[in-house]
Each structure stands twice: as C-alpha cells, then as structure tokens.
Amino acid sequence: MAALIKDKLDSISEGCFLIMPNKKRRNTSQQQLRKKQRSKTKTTVDVTQRCEENSQGISNIGFQKLFNGNESFDSMLYRKSSFEQCWKNINDDISNILLDMNETAVENICQFVYKSRNIEEGMVALPYHEIPTGLVFAGINTPDHNTQFSHIASKLREDSKAGKQKNFVSLLQSKDCGNIKNMFKAMIERFLENTPNALSTDLDHDIIMDDNEENDDDAEDEEDIIRTTERAATSYRLGGASARPSKCLPYDMKLLEGWYRHHQQSYENKPNLVIILQDFESFEPAILQDFFTICSEYRSRLPIVCIMGIATSTEILHQSLNKSTIGLLRIEKFRLEQSGVWFNRVIEKVLLDSTSTLKFGARPYKFLLDHFYLYDFSMTKVTASLKYALMHHFYGNPLSIFLPLLQMDEFDMTATLQQWVRNDFINEHHITHIRMLGSFKNYVESLADTDPKKALQLLEDDDFLITEVVPSLLCDIKIYQEQFKMGFNLLLLLQKQFPSFSSVNKSKLMLLLEVLEAKDGLSENTDMVRRLVSFVRKIDTEHVGRLLKELRHLFSEYENVNGSFLKQLAVWDKRYEGLMEADDNYNTRMDRKSKLLEGMVLENEQRRHTETAKKVQDQALEHLKQKGTEASKIAMDIADWCDKTLGHLLRSFTKLPLFELVYYTNIKLHEKSFASQPRASAQTALTQPQHYINCSCCDIEKSDQIVTSEHDTCILYKLYLECGRLINLYDWFVAFGCIIEREKRPANQKLEENEVQARFIRSVAELQFLGFIKPTQRKTDHVIRLTWSNI
C-alpha cells in the first residue's frame, strides 16, 4: 500500500511544470484581469454644474455680501482685493526677513558645495570615497524646515543660473523614503526634474502611475518600467557611445550615472549633485546607512554632495549611523538663525514699522507671544495666525474697506471717499456701522460739551461724516502710529542707559506687551516710567552728554512728526556746552553740593508711598533744580521732559476714534482655532449630548439631569460627577444598571445582567480612552477604585 502511494506521488511530481511568462507579451491574462478589477473598483463621481449664484462665493475665495446681502458687489470685490494685497505685502515681508536672516549661513552652504571638489582634489587619495556632508542646524521646530531648506535649494539653483557652477538639487523628505528603493527612486526623480529634456518625458509619467498601483505587482511594475526606460533612453548617448536602449530601473544608480554623463557635456565644469535630507532625525537609520554606502561607491564617478537638516545636536548623527558609515562622510557644520530672531523681526516689521496694515491689540498680541514661546516656536503658526487675523477682518467686517486708505494722504482719502459716495460704493449700512462703533460714540460724547453742533452734525449729516470727519480721523491714527513708534524707541533708549538695573530692563517684545496692556497708556503713575525717570535724574555730567547725543540721533529720524523735540534738544545742547566750558574748580565745588543734595533727596525715593512723603519729595526735587549744579539741572529737565513725552506718545490706542478700523482686538476666534480644548469639548458632549446628536428625545433642561435615552457613556459620566474623587466600581455598576432598567423595551425583550455588564465595561473603556478616568489599585475593600485623571 505504501509503495502504491509512493508511485502515485512520483507520477504526480513528474507531471508538474513551471511555465514562465513571456516577457515579450505586453499583458498576460492575469495582468489584464487585475486591471479590469482595478477599473471596476474605481468610483465615478457625478459633478453637478453649479449656477452662477451658487458658485459666486467660491469664485471670490469665500467672500460674500454682508449686511444680509445689501452690500454692493463692488464693495465686496474691494474687500477681496484689499485682503489679497495686504496679505501679499505681509507674506513678502516675512519671506524677506527669513532670507535676510539666514543669508550668511546659506551663502556659506553654497560656498561649501562649490569648494567640495577642490578640497577633495588637494587631499591624499583614500581607499574609500568620502561624501562632502554639511550638517545644518535649523532649530527644534521641524515643520518650519520645509521653508528653510526650500530657500537653500532655490539659492543653489539661482546661483547656477547666475553663471556660477551648475548644481542639480534633489530635496528629500523622510515621508518619501520608506525604504532604500523608494529613497533612490525619489532622489533620481528629483534630479531628472532639473532638466526639461531629461528622461522625465515618459519615465516620470509611468513612475507616477506605478505608485498608484498595488505593491504586490512588483514583477509587473519592473517589467513595464524597463520597457519605458528602453524607449526613453534612446534620446541620449550614454558616455559617448552610440544610442542604445537601457534596462535600468528607476531606482538604479546606473540610470542617474548615464543621465549625468549625458548632461555634463553641456557645461565647462562638472555640475554637482546636491542631495538635501531635510529631516534627518525622521529617516530610518538602516536606510541611511545603506544609502550613504551606495553613494560612496559612486562618488568617484558622480560629484555627490549631501546636506542634512538636524533639529537637535550632533549626537543624533552618532545614534543613527555606525562608525563605518560616519567614516564615509566629510562633515562640516552650519547653523541657521533660531526662529526667535525671526519672530522679533516680524513683530517689529508688521506691528511697529508698518503703518498701512492691521495692528494687533493687547490680547491678540499676548496670544501670539504665548503660543510662540510657550508651545512650539513655530514660524508656520505665527504666519497662519497673522493671516487668520487678516481673513477675519476682511471677510466678516464690512468696514475693512477703510483700512487701505491709510496708504493715502488726507487729500487722496477725501477724494476717494467722495467718489465712493457718488458711486454708491458706500451705503447707509456702512454709515450706521461707523456710528455704532464704541470709539465713535465716545468721540461724539466728548464733543457734546465742547462742540455740540459738530456732535449733532456727525449723527445727522452722512456726507459730512464720510467725506470730512473720517479722513481726518484716519490721518490722526497714522500720526499716532508714528508717534507711538517714536515713543517706544525712546523707551528702549532710556532702558539701555541703565544696564546695571536688570530688574528694569525687559525685552522689546515684552516691553511692547506692557505698553499695549496699559489701559490709559504709559504715564508718570506707571511703575516702569517712574523708575526710569528717577534713574535719569541721577545721571552724572558724562552720561548727560551721551544721552543728549543719542536723543538727537533718535529724533532726527522723526523730524516730520514733531520738530519741537529737536528745538528742545538744541537748548539743552547749548547749556551742556556752556557747562563743559566752565571753570573746573567751580564744577568740582558744585558737584560736591549736588551729590549731597542727591543723597538727601533721591536715596530712598522708591520707598516712600505716603502723601506727606511724596509732598516732601517734590519739594526736595524743586530745591535741587534751583540749588544744584548745571548738570543736575539738565538731568532734571530731561527727566521731566521724558515723563511728559512718554505719556503723550505712548497713550493707549483705545482713546482714538475709529481705532476698530485699524486695530484687531478679537481673540475668541483665535483661541478656538489655534488653542483648541478637546477635553472641554468632550465634557460638553458628555453632559449635553443633545447638541451633538440632534436628538429630540434627549433634550434636557439641566446638564446634570440623566435621561435613559442618552448614550451609555453620557449616563456613566454623569453618575461619576455625583461622586467624590474615588468611587467604588461595584457601586458605579449598580447605579448604572438601575438607570438602564428604566429603558422602554418591548415586552418580549428583557434586560439581562450580561448585557448591562457589557455596556458598562464598554462605557468605562471609552471614558478611560478619553482620559477622564484611570484605574488605581487600592487594597481597601479589595476593589479597584477609579480616580480623576490629571491629564
């Protein structure tokens, strides 16, 4: 019997044959079947044609007519164009700041690429080929590296067009390099994109098509790519030989070598092949080791240069690569500027220097600072936050049409507004909204006592309001912005005069926040101004001359704003020159007298807070002004002048009429969009589920009311809120079962204990997944208790 079975098996094995597919055939029957199956799985979507009214909002990037559709179409288009122009200006400033900030570092990287070959020729020949590698420290926020390394790649390509040595650049990211095959494939594709007449005509198209197919068809993909390469490779000569077909796969380095040999003939100097690994920490170490090993083998034939972006430190290099792989790299370090430098310059450019864009109030500005310094140091989020503020202002505020008027002078503003009134560009709804502004109401109330006729005219005469008052008020806002910038720089100048007083000195951004948060602006009652002024009173003769020189340099830039400042400085300069020309013995004698008075008057100035002490202090200051030296008198005058000037220049913008047209003070939408609170949303959903599931049977009056028709997780969560910090698991289960028993069920369906237990366990797991509870082992009562999570 065993022999019989053995004979049958032998006969079967003799009848088995392996039939190889014919390579010359385009498609086998199995391949055709796969393509039919894939074509059947493709879903077709019927796109309905929209009418012109429905597509109007989409065609205008979401801009719609406000005032319930009563806004004119031209006004809506003007808001759209104003938003695009304003954002273009801000975005250009942001990009230029980033380029200027890293200009030196990027130039050094380009010089490293150009000199890599010269350095290699002057070195001793090694048995292995080193790859010139630049380590670029780009900061801890990796999402921002995309912009920074795109600028580096663009700079390398621009230098090639400018007549310098040609560079072929391939920018790689870890998401495109899941394995070594995909990494070389992506690298070669990026290099082929550098030349319009390269193989990419037919090859890239088929490569992209192959990426969408299934991964289990590797044999079919390779066969199709080989045939595609055979067609495309006939367009160039490989190494001077006659045109011949190539069967290289798209991830084969021989394909890159042949392409490079063909295109290097067009240049006097051999172009460099620059490979940029944008996020080095995210690559798989094994893939990087194989990649550098293979590139090192081709280094003698291909001038490969590698640039790697690192977010942390060089330790990650030793953690990812072994010693043999690191030995293949000739490393040089570069460092880009940190994002904090970029943030400082952007805030200064957008919120201080510019007078024709949207300004931030105290709360939005504080939100911007907190989320940058306390969360992620992200340049991308700062840019998105600025754009979101502009979108909120122009999309939803019909009065945003007045913001671009700040770029004009008062005469052009008046002419533009008159034209708007004639063309019905502005209607009665715009005028009503202007009169409803809080700052305009305060302005009218202030005129009620001094000029009641003008106040009444503002409320009744529309043309007078739009064509005469609005241009004047907008020009006042422009003047205020210039004065605010001048006062802020004066505050910085005074702070730099006293570097030893570290408790006073603050960064520029924090100083701006303090100024914006002051409700009545900076005045003599402000602690910071009071301390700075007291320090100015104590400066000696040498520091008086230095301070006058810096003040003269500062206000020479703002002569058009207020020329009286320079006149006052000229008076002090003459007094100081007379002081320097006086007799030395007289100066010495008066200095001793001045120091004695200062010790009596200014020693404990900060410790006196009673009314009597302040009165005595003021009298002592007046005595010092009369009996002190000329230097101390000048210092006293400068201190009093700084006190009054800072109070005037740094007054609060909320005192300006129509400041709502220029200043962005809404913070609620920013908090919802950029500081989401998923835990609070989950709590609201669990206590008020009717707002989320739109269920009429679950409508409740109070959030703590429990209805049997609610979701099991909601019931369990409300039961937990009735308990303390610790709850017995069994008691929780019993309370849950008592509520479930009151459900309305058919007579033939009874509630079983296993069903209650299963629903209870599932709801507990959901609460634990949301992070509201966590199990804690406690020996008391031999039960597991659940405690509130501190997440």
Side-chain angles (χ1 to χ4, degrees):
M1 184 66 180
L4 181 61
I5 295 175
K6 182 176 182 301
D7 293 338
K8 289 183 178 180
L9 291 176
D10 291 341
S11 63
I12 291 175
S13 63
E14 291 174 358
C16 292
F17 299 95
L18 180 61
I19 302 176
M20 299 297 294
N22 188 2
K23 294 183 179 181
K24 295 183 180 180
R25 295 178 58 188
R26 282 286 180 181
N27 293 310
T28 62
S29 59
Q30 293 181 356
Q31 294 172 356
Q32 293 178 356
L33 180 61
R34 289 196 194 98
K35 291 184 178 181
K36 289 181 180 179
Q37 292 176 353
R38 284 196 296 267
S39 63
K40 290 180 180 179
T41 58
K42 293 180 180 179
T43 58
T44 58
V45 180
D46 295 333
V47 180
T48 59
Q49 296 293 333
R50 302 173 184 265
C51 62
E52 184 177 359
E53 295 179 357
N54 295 334
S55 62
Q56 183 178 357
I58 298 177
S59 62
N60 294 301
I61 60 173
F63 278 88
Q64 299 179 2
K65 294 181 179 180
L66 301 179
F67 301 132
N68 295 327
N70 294 322
E71 184 185 18
S72 64
F73 186 72
D74 294 336
S75 179
M76 184 197 71
L77 292 180
Y78 185 76
R79 285 191 293 114
K80 171 179 172 293
S81 60
S82 300
F83 163 72
E84 293 174 346
Q85 183 62 35
C86 189
W87 170 242
K88 180 180 180 300
N89 296 335
I90 294 179
N91 195 29
D92 291 343
D93 292 338
I94 291 174
S95 301
N96 293 334
I97 289 172
L98 185 61
L99 288 174
D100 296 341
M101 183 178 66
N102 294 319
E103 183 178 4
T104 304
V106 173
E107 188 64 30
N108 293 335
I109 294 173
C110 295
Q111 292 297 327
F112 164 76
V113 174
Y114 300 145
K115 296 178 181 179
S116 59
R117 184 174 302 168
N118 298 332
I119 295 176
E120 187 177 22
E121 292 176 355
M123 295 178 62
V124 179
L126 298 175
Y128 55 90
H129 305 285
E130 289 184 336
I131 302 174
T133 305
L135 297 184
V136 181
F137 297 91
I140 62 176
N141 194 272
T142 53
D144 294 335
H145 294 182
N146 189 17
T147 304
Q148 294 173 333
F149 284 96
S150 298
H151 288 165
I152 294 175
S154 301
K155 180 64 176 178
L156 290 171
R157 297 190 184 100
E158 289 175 2
D159 289 348
S160 300
K161 297 178 181 178
K164 297 183 179 180
Q165 187 177 3
K166 179 66 177 178
N167 298 311
F168 295 127
V169 183
S170 177
L171 181 60
L172 301 179
Q173 298 180 8
S174 58
K175 63 181 181 180
D176 300 328
C177 306
N179 51 52
I180 190 65
K181 182 190 296 185
N182 291 340
M183 188 170 185
F184 277 104
K185 180 179 177 181
M187 181 190 70
I188 294 174
E189 288 179 4
R190 305 294 191 276
F191 279 129
L192 294 182
E193 293 173 356
N194 287 270
T195 52
N197 297 325
L199 301 180
S200 57
T201 305
D202 296 326
L203 181 60
D204 291 349
H205 179 266
D206 289 346
I207 289 174
I208 296 173
M209 295 297 294
D210 291 336
D211 289 339
N212 297 327
E213 297 182 358
E214 298 178 356
N215 294 329
D216 57 352
D217 297 336
D218 292 339
E220 176 189 353
D221 294 343
E222 292 180 1
E223 196 171 323
D224 293 341
I225 294 171
I226 289 174
R227 288 193 295 270
T228 305
T229 311
E230 289 176 356
R231 296 195 305 270
T234 57
S235 62
Y236 68 94
R237 298 180 179 274
L238 203 151
S242 58
R244 54 192 177 124
S246 173
K247 293 187 177 181
C248 296
L249 295 174
Y251 48 81
D252 194 343
M253 287 289 287
K254 292 182 180 179
L255 177 63
L256 179 62
E257 182 182 359
W259 170 82
Y260 179 78
R261 288 184 181 179
H262 170 67
H263 286 283
Q264 75 173 359
Q265 300 174 3
S266 304
Y267 307 98
E268 296 180 0
N269 299 324
K270 292 184 178 181
N272 293 314
L273 296 177
V274 184
I275 304 171
I276 301 178
L277 305 181
Q278 179 175 309
D279 46 349
F280 176 79
E281 287 91 345
S282 301
F283 282 86
E284 290 291 336
I287 297 175
L288 288 175
Q289 293 175 11
D290 296 339
F291 177 77
F292 288 126
T293 303
I294 296 174
C295 290
S296 176
E297 294 295 329
Y298 283 87
R299 180 72 178 102
S300 59
R301 302 186 293 274
L302 297 175
I304 297 175
V305 181
C306 185
I307 297 175
M308 297 188 300
I310 295 180
T312 54
S313 64
T314 54
E315 294 181 0
I316 191 64
L317 187 67
H318 297 278
Q319 295 174 3
S320 302
L321 305 177
N322 51 31
K323 292 183 179 180
S324 59
T325 306
I326 295 177
L328 300 176
L329 307 178
R330 188 170 72 249
I331 298 175
E332 188 170 343
K333 299 178 183 180
F334 303 93
R335 188 175 297 275
L336 300 179
E337 290 287 350
Q338 298 298 318
S339 57
V341 180
W342 172 88
F343 184 69
N344 290 338
R345 295 181 61 180
V346 167
I347 294 299
E348 184 176 357
K349 178 68 176 178
V350 176
L351 301 184
L352 283 177
D353 295 343
S354 179
T355 58
S356 60
T357 186
L358 193 66
K359 303 292 183 180
F360 273 32
R363 293 186 62 191
Y365 177 67
K366 187 177 185 301
F367 179 85
L368 205 64
L369 287 181
D370 292 344
H371 274 258
F372 181 80
Y373 284 111
L374 303 180
Y375 285 86
D376 49 14
F377 291 91
S378 175
M379 295 186 291
T380 305
K381 287 190 176 180
V382 172
T383 305
S385 184
L386 292 174
K387 185 175 183 180
Y388 188 81
L390 283 177
M391 293 176 65
H392 183 213
H393 184 72
F394 281 99
Y395 272 79
N397 186 5
L399 301 181
S400 58
I401 59 176
F402 294 96
L403 179 61
L405 297 178
L406 292 177
Q407 302 177 8
M408 310 176 185
D409 55 11
E410 186 173 0
F411 178 79
D412 293 335
M413 285 184 192
T414 304
T416 303
L417 290 173
Q418 290 175 353
Q419 184 179 1
W420 285 0
V421 172
R422 288 194 302 267
N423 298 335
D424 293 332
F425 189 85
I426 296 177
N427 53 32
E428 65 276 6
H429 297 284
H430 289 94
I431 301 173
T432 302
H433 272 64
I434 290 177
R435 292 189 174 122
M436 291 175 62
L437 295 176
S439 60
F440 183 80
K441 293 179 182 178
N442 296 333
Y443 176 64
V444 173
E445 290 176 359
S446 64
L447 292 176
D449 298 333
T450 59
D451 193 355
K453 293 183 179 180
K454 183 178 180 180
L456 182 62
Q457 192 175 7
L458 288 174
L459 297 176
E460 294 181 351
D461 193 345
D462 297 342
D463 292 339
F464 174 74
L465 172 63
I466 296 298
T467 59
E468 296 186 22
V469 178
V470 170
S472 177
L473 296 179
L474 290 178
C475 289
D476 292 341
I477 294 177
K478 290 179 61 177
I479 295 175
Y480 165 78
Q481 291 178 356
E482 290 288 342
Q483 292 178 348
F484 183 87
K485 180 182 176 182
M486 180 172 57
F488 187 75
N489 290 331
L490 174 61
L491 193 64
L492 292 175
L493 187 148
L494 294 177
Q495 186 177 244
K496 291 179 181 179
Q497 301 299 318
F498 313 103
S500 60
F501 299 94
S502 58
S503 60
V504 179
N505 290 339
K506 296 182 179 180
S507 64
K508 183 181 294 186
L509 299 184
M510 296 306 298
L511 199 62
L512 178 59
L513 177 62
E514 184 172 348
V515 174
L516 291 176
E517 286 182 338
K519 296 182 179 180
D520 298 330
L522 293 185
S523 61
E524 58 182 4
N525 297 325
T526 309
D527 181 68
M528 180 177 57
V529 175
R530 185 171 61 250
R531 297 185 66 182
L532 283 175
V533 170
S534 66
F535 295 151
V536 173
R537 292 194 182 105
K538 300 177 182 180
I539 58 178
D540 54 11
T541 305
E542 181 181 357
H543 288 85
V544 168
R546 187 189 310 167
L547 179 60
L548 289 175
K549 182 179 179 181
E550 294 183 1
L551 288 174
R552 192 185 311 109
H553 177 72
L554 172 64
F555 289 111
S556 61
E557 302 176 359
Y558 304 97
E559 185 177 0
N560 295 329
V561 178
N562 195 340
S564 61
F565 295 150
L566 293 178
K567 296 180 181 179
Q568 183 64 44
L569 288 174
V571 175
W572 290 333
D573 287 337
K574 292 181 179 180
R575 293 173 59 185
Y576 183 73
E577 291 176 359
L579 174 64
M580 298 305 294
E581 295 175 357
D583 184 35
D584 294 337
N585 296 328
Y586 173 78
N587 290 334
T588 304
R589 187 170 61 256
M590 295 304 295
D591 286 339
R592 293 176 182 175
K593 183 179 179 181
S594 176
K595 289 180 180 179
L596 179 61
L597 290 173
E598 288 180 2
M600 296 171 55
V601 176
L602 302 174
E603 184 66 27
N604 299 320
E605 179 182 354
Q606 299 298 327
R607 300 180 184 178
R608 302 177 181 180
H609 301 286
T610 62
E611 294 295 333
T612 304
K614 292 180 180 179
K615 185 176 181 180
V616 173
Q617 184 71 28
D618 295 338
Q619 293 176 356
L621 289 175
E622 292 295 332
H623 180 70
L624 181 61
K625 293 177 183 179
Q626 297 177 2
K627 302 297 183 180
T629 62
E630 185 66 19
S632 62
K633 292 179 180 179
I634 296 175
M636 288 289 180
D637 292 342
I638 294 176
D640 294 341
W641 176 84
C642 289
D643 193 2
K644 296 178 182 179
T645 304
L646 289 175
H648 172 69
L649 299 181
L650 297 180
R651 61 190 185 277
S652 177
F653 67 89
T654 57
K655 305 297 181 180
L656 300 173
L658 304 184
F659 76 89
E660 294 91 346
L661 305 181
V662 182
Y663 286 86
Y664 181 77
T665 57
N666 195 333
I667 191 58
K668 293 183 179 180
L669 289 178
H670 260 71
E671 291 177 346
K672 291 182 180 179
S673 302
F674 295 94
S676 59
Q677 299 178 354
R679 185 182 182 88
S681 301
Q683 288 176 339
T684 306
L686 291 173
T687 55
Q688 301 178 10
Q690 69 275 10
H691 298 302
Y692 289 81
I693 60 179
N694 292 327
C695 181
S696 59
C697 61
C698 297
D699 191 10
I700 56 178
E701 297 180 357
K702 299 181 180 180
S703 61
D704 57 349
Q705 183 180 355
I706 300 177
V707 182
T708 57
S709 60
E710 292 179 347
H711 195 272
D712 294 342
T713 308
C714 300
I715 296 175
L716 203 64
Y717 179 74
K718 291 181 179 180
L719 289 174
Y720 180 77
L721 294 179
E722 297 177 356
C723 303
R725 184 173 180 83
L726 299 177
I727 182 172
N728 190 302
L729 190 62
Y730 180 75
D731 295 341
W732 202 11
F733 170 72
V734 172
F736 178 75
C738 293
I739 296 177
I740 297 300
E741 288 178 355
R742 297 198 293 265
E743 289 181 347
K744 295 181 181 180
R745 287 174 170 265
N748 56 353
Q749 293 184 4
K750 295 183 179 180
L751 183 64
E752 298 181 358
E753 185 176 356
N754 293 336
E755 180 183 354
V756 177
Q757 185 175 0
R759 293 169 62 178
F760 176 77
I761 294 174
R762 183 174 62 250
S763 300
V764 169
E766 291 178 355
L767 289 178
Q768 186 175 355
F769 175 77
L770 292 174
F772 288 102
I773 59 174
K774 61 180 179 180
T776 301
Q777 297 288 345
R778 296 179 62 87
K779 300 297 183 179
T780 307
D781 300 334
H782 302 284
V783 295
I784 297 178
R785 300 177 181 270
L786 297 180
T787 64
W788 187 263
S789 175
N790 293 324
I791 300 176

